[in-house]
């Protein structure tokens, strides 16, 4: 189970990130610097396997949310540098939450409950249909309006099942 942490802000720079492993990887990894407007800065390493919601192209000035694994080792440098698992380019009216969803499809922080319909697309990260039960899994929920209750309830536009090795 991934313990998703996140950081939200504006992209201030995007550069190639050199892994030093081999020349074939040159240009495949990006280092995105994100600032939240209060002075906090995070660098995200965006790898070819990073899930970018809707495959949106992210540019300098875009408001983004980067999700990372809180339990993954990180170098002790400033600004903090995390390997991005999920990147979201924020679009008005569309919300995204990556988290572990329990048996009743309530997020681990208790802030969002997902209500499924027979028409809710449930997909794998590669776009293929997921045929199992989405409960008790790491999910990326893409949704619009929600109730103002706690937990907020929503019928998502789609669900991405985050299968980790």
């Amino acid at each position: 189970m991934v313990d998703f942490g996140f950081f939200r802000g504006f992209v201030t720079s995007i550069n190639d990130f050199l892994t030093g492993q081999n020349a074939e990887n040159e240009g495949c990894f990006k280092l995105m610097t994100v600032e939240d407007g209060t002075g906090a800065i995070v660098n995200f390493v965006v790898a070819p396997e990073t899930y970018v919601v809707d495959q949106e192209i992210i540019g300098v000035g875009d408001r983004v949310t980067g999700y990372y694994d809180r339990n993954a080792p990180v170098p002790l440098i400033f600004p903090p540098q995390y390997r991005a698992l999920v990147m979201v380019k924020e679009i008005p009216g569309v919300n995204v939450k990556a988290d572990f969803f329990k048996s009743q499809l309530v997020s681990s922080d208790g802030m969002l409950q997902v209500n499924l319909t027979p028409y809710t697309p449930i997909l794998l990260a590669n776009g293929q249909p997921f045929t199992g039960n989405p409960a008790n899994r790491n999910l990326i929920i893409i949704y619009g309006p929600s109730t103002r209750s706690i937990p907020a309830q929503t019928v998502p536009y789609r669900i991405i099942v985050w299968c980790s090795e």
Side-chain angles (χ1 to χ4, degrees), residues 11 13-14 30-34 42-46 58 87:
V11 177
S13 71
I14 301 173
K30 302 294 180 192
L31 187 68
M32 289 189 187
T33 302
V34 179
V42 164
N43 284 329
F44 283 109
V45 176
V46 180
I58 297 171
M87 291 298 293

Side-chain angles (χ1 to χ4, degrees), residues 34-137:
V34 179
E35 186 173 342
D36 73 353
T38 67
I41 300 171
V42 164
N43 284 329
F44 283 109
V45 176
V46 180
E49 61 270 10
T50 299
Y51 183 78
V52 179
V53 173
D54 293 336
Q55 296 182 343
E56 290 282 341
I57 295 176
I58 297 171
V60 172
D62 289 338
R63 184 166 170 80
V64 298
T65 302
Y67 289 89
Y68 59 92
D69 185 351
R70 286 186 218 186
N71 295 324
V74 295
L76 294 174
I77 58 174
F78 181 82
Q81 180 174 294
Y82 302 114
R83 184 177 182 105
L85 299 176
V86 179
M87 291 298 293
V88 180
K89 179 178 177 179
E90 296 194 11
I91 298 170
V94 177
N95 303 299
V96 177
K97 183 168 184 83
D99 203 347
F100 181 82
F101 283 77
K102 304 172 195 170
S103 61
Q104 299 299 311
L105 292 176
V106 175
S107 62
S108 67
D109 63 4
M111 298 305 290
L112 184 66
Q113 180 175 352
V114 174
N115 297 320
L116 298 179
T117 73
Y119 306 105
T120 303
I122 304 174
L123 308 169
L124 296 168
N126 64 10
Q128 299 305 302
F130 177 75
T131 55
N133 183 350
N136 295 310
R137 295 182 180 272

